[in-house]
Amino acid sequence: METRELGRTGRNVGVIGLGAWQLGADWGQVDEADAFATLRAAVEAGVSFIDTADVYGDGRSEQFVGRFLREAGAPLTVATKMGRRVAQEAANYNAENFLAWNDRSLRNLDVERIDLVQLHCPPDEVYADDRVFDALDDLVERGRIAAYGVSVETCEQALSAIRRPNLASVQIILNAFRLKPLEQVLPAARAAGVGIIARVPLASGLLSGRYTVKTEFAADDHRAFNRHGEAFDVGETFSGVDYETGLEAVERLRPLVPEGVSLAQFALRWIADQDAVSVVIPGARNPEQARANAAAGSLPHLTPEAHQAVSEVYDELIKPLVHDRW
């Protein structure tokens, strides 16, 4: 697998990582055996970066990742996130809460120091508060975390965070249905030496090409219960694109996929072709998905014609729906 430096962490990671939200909650049921089989398959396929959060299954995902770290003994970089277990008010992002949240993640992951801790899509006011970043610097100085970053909803939030001198990474939605970060965020991150972690790379599975208008999602799957932002930001579900338009765009993209490559791998390779991206974090519910996703990290770059065609589909079908929102 191709490897890249993860911003200011000083670590090299495989360009395709693993997002562990599915192993916690909100994607239908994933049992313990499948969770560990998925983690094992991903690492055996070359994945060296795993992203989780304290809120995924209320710690379930972190605990799975921590147990896997102990049992596998693999050299992995693990990132978690904090901040979404309380009301989303800027005042809750304070040093006292950071310590409590960090303690909980340290226990869940069963480690003495966490490689990367990210604020989990905090309110806008947080990015302008020096005390927030002083508190994060203190966690680094005390050896509780090795580095910190932010997971953001909007490009403006990303640009605000990138201005922080000790920020290691920005996690942002980036996929063939969300091209706005290419305009300013990726160039700014590259210039600052900040890593980009690309999340929701398959638009909640739409870009896998496996779904149709008849597909039904389980009641505990956010693709059923959050289509209009009922539980959290609607941009996290299908990248904020309405389902039917997403399906139409997928059909427009299918002819671009090279022989022997899946649509999902094409979509992941498109992101990995952006040189400012450090790591792409598709989720997986089973070993087959994990292995197939990881294989995208060793595929050849897509042709300029393919990149141009992705942009044209975006401009025609997707841009009017999402570009100005995030």
Side-chain angles (χ1 to χ4, degrees), residues 276-296:
V277 170
S278 303
V279 60
V280 188
I281 51 169
R285 291 166 51 88
N286 56 61
E288 292 74 21
Q289 290 179 358
R291 283 189 286 266
N293 291 340

Side-chain angles (χ1 to χ4, degrees), residues 183-211:
E183 295 176 354
Q184 296 185 53
V185 174
L186 267 59
R190 185 191 301 109
V194 170
I196 291 289
I197 302 169
R199 80 171 185 276
V200 196
L202 299 178
S204 306
L206 264 179
L207 285 164
S208 72
R210 295 187 293 111
Y211 303 141

Side-chain angles (χ1 to χ4, degrees), residues 41-56:
V43 172
E44 288 174 353
V47 164
S48 58
F49 178 86
I50 298 175
D51 177 85
T52 183
D54 59 1
V55 76
Y56 295 164

Side-chain angles (χ1 to χ4, degrees), residues 168-189:
S169 64
V170 166
Q171 184 177 138
I172 192 167
I173 296 176
L174 175 64
N175 59 50
F177 292 169
R178 189 72 76 86
L179 270 59
K180 188 175 181 178
L182 303 183
E183 295 176 354
Q184 296 185 53
V185 174
L186 267 59

